[in-house]
Amino acid sequence: NAGLKVIDVSNPSLPLYLSSSFFDVGGNKKGLAIQGFDDIVIIGSGDGFIYLIDASDPLHIDEEKEISRFDAGGMIFDIALGENNETVFLVGAVNVNPEFQAVDVSNPSSPLLEGGFHFSQRLSGVAFDEDSCQVYVVGPLTKDPEFNIIFPGI
């Protein structure tokens, strides 16, 4: 099971532990990356899914609070939230789907793949810069990695 711990940092010099919650995240059972916005926590998991969890009551988060999940196709190493928290960018080791994916979470109940890249090498980290509207990815990349752009529905 994945463990989600909630810590109140309204006073960063005195963090306050609030709760721990456990829920089943499938095969690999590892929460590897996490982001949050409003009352939603997004967990990228080793089982190849991102989980959108209702965190409106941080003292009582469990698997019944799952809003939805999105199958990314393989282990997720990192996630980043995009502009207005409407897109989740993820990187990982995937089988069929792209190693870099942009997932629309503007409707948390129904995440959808917006697009992505297949890289010739594994990606391990991702960050979004709102000022430039650019995503930065990191991994054992060569100077000019091979990649294919993926846009669903085209």
Side-chain angles (χ1 to χ4, degrees), residues 62-126:
D62 57 33
E63 37 187 73
E64 292 180 11
K65 302 287 184 157
E66 181 180 310
I67 299 169
S68 65
R69 63 179 70 180
F70 173 82
D71 185 357
M75 186 178 290
I76 298 170
F77 294 132
D78 198 12
I79 58 178
L81 283 169
E83 190 171 15
N84 300 320
N85 302 319
E86 293 183 353
T87 304
V88 172
F89 301 103
L90 61 92
V91 296
V94 296
N95 303 321
V96 178
N97 293 337
E99 289 83 2
F100 167 80
Q101 297 179 37
V103 179
D104 179 349
V105 293
S106 59
N107 176 357
S109 299
S110 183
L112 298 169
L113 180 64
E114 289 184 294
F117 287 106
H118 279 296
F119 279 86
S120 58
Q121 296 154 323
R122 181 180 296 183
L123 302 174
S124 57
V126 62

Side-chain angles (χ1 to χ4, degrees), residues 8 14 20 23 29 53-56 69-70 78 91 98-99 103 111 123 139:
D8 180 343
L14 189 61
S20 286
F23 51 93
K29 300 194 185 303
I53 309 294
D54 177 354
S56 58
R69 63 179 70 180
F70 173 82
D78 198 12
V91 296
E99 289 83 2
V103 179
L123 302 174

Side-chain angles (χ1 to χ4, degrees), residues 2 13 26 30 33 60-61 111 126 154:
S13 63
K30 291 183 180 176
H60 302 97
I61 300 174
V126 62
I154 295 178

